[in-house]
Amino acid sequence: MAEKAQEHVKAECDGAISLAFTLLGKRWNGMIIDVLGSQPLTFVTLRRAVTGISDAVLSDRLSELAAAGLVARTVKDGPPVSVSYELTAAGQRLIPVLKQLGTWASENLEHAPQA
């Protein structure tokens, strides 16, 4: 009796997961979304909440998250003019996912030493 050739399944990452981590895998993006999960914040308040991020990187990440439809920028006429950032509905739907990821990390990963 002839043996059937074993089929080899090519393992591939799910396209949606790959797309999600293209954006969320960038340093700071998950933390920015997490911090904005509670309320709209100004740029300065965000920078203070996301310890270690530079102004330039925060500005770039906010622009990127806004372009992806996760963050909205609101300008209020002054004086003084005020700019705030908040999560869109799509961004808000990420909060439970990030909380679950944080819980998983706390339970399964060793904390990296602080530099």
Side-chain angles (χ1 to χ4, degrees), residues 58-105:
L58 178 56
S59 180
D60 287 346
R61 294 300 187 264
L62 287 168
S63 294
E64 183 176 31
L65 291 168
L70 300 176
V71 171
R73 181 179 186 264
T74 303
V75 180
K76 294 180 184 172
D77 293 332
V81 173
S82 131
V83 178
S84 64
Y85 298 88
E86 65 184 311
L87 294 181
T88 62
Q92 284 290 342
R93 288 192 295 273
L94 274 172
I95 297 302
V97 175
L98 291 177
K99 297 295 181 200
Q100 287 178 338
L101 186 59
T103 298
W104 174 86

Side-chain angles (χ1 to χ4, degrees), residues 8-113:
H8 293 285
V9 178
K10 182 180 175 186
E12 292 182 13
C13 180
D14 180 273
I17 296 293
S18 180
L19 180 61
F21 275 97
T22 296
L23 184 67
L24 298 176
K26 284 191 174 179
R27 187 171 186 194
W28 308 113
N29 282 353
M31 290 173 274
I32 292 167
I33 292 167
D34 182 51
V35 169
L36 285 174
S38 58
Q39 63 185 333
L41 298 172
T42 65
F43 186 90
V44 172
T45 306
L46 262 170
R47 189 187 66 224
R48 289 180 185 149
V50 182
T51 306
I53 194 169
S54 71
D55 287 353
V57 172
L58 178 56
S59 180
D60 287 346
R61 294 300 187 264
L62 287 168
S63 294
E64 183 176 31
L65 291 168
L70 300 176
V71 171
R73 181 179 186 264
T74 303
V75 180
K76 294 180 184 172
D77 293 332
V81 173
S82 131
V83 178
S84 64
Y85 298 88
E86 65 184 311
L87 294 181
T88 62
Q92 284 290 342
R93 288 192 295 273
L94 274 172
I95 297 302
V97 175
L98 291 177
K99 297 295 181 200
Q100 287 178 338
L101 186 59
T103 298
W104 174 86
S106 294
E107 294 171 353
N108 294 285
L109 299 177
E110 291 183 31
H111 294 284

